[in-house]
């Protein structure tokens, strides 16, 4: 049992996990670009584009491209 604990403490001190490149942010840019909008953001965007009427359903909204 003592060897098991020694192995775990040694393993935790020496090993470091690397992060995959796809999870890292681009250097220099502080803002993360999202391509998917939340429902309330889509409704606001559709209102701005005059494609939303009061009383329309929020389920099954049209696909919307985020503003640039």
């Amino acid at each position: 049992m003592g060897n098991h604990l020694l192995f775990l403490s040694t393993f935790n001190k020496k090993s470091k996990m690397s992060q995959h490149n796809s999870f890292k942010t681009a250097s220099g840019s502080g803002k993360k670009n999202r391509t998917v909008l939340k429902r309330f953001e889509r409704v606001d965007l559709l209102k701005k584009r005059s494609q939303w009427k009061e009383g329309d359903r929020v389920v099954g909204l049209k696909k919307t491209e985020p503003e640039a």
Side-chain angles (χ1 to χ4, degrees):
M1 183 102 159
N3 289 340
H4 181 66
L5 294 176
L6 178 63
F7 171 74
L8 286 177
S9 64
T10 306
F11 178 76
N12 290 336
K13 289 179 186 175
K14 291 183 179 179
S15 66
K16 289 186 178 182
M17 292 184 68
S18 60
Q19 190 177 32
H20 192 270
N21 288 337
S22 63
F23 291 117
K24 294 181 182 178
T25 58
S27 61
S29 69
K31 187 179 176 190
K32 198 173 192 182
N33 294 329
R34 292 187 301 142
T35 56
V36 178
L37 299 175
K38 297 195 183 267
R39 184 173 284 146
F40 74 92
E41 293 171 324
R42 291 170 67 186
V43 170
D44 289 342
L45 191 60
L46 289 171
K47 281 181 183 178
K48 192 184 294 185
R49 294 177 182 172
S50 301
Q51 296 177 337
W52 172 266
K53 292 178 243 141
E54 244 356 273
D56 284 353
R57 294 176 53 106
V58 294
V59 179
L61 291 173
K62 293 180 179 183
K63 291 184 179 180
T64 53
E65 292 279 329
E67 291 180 325

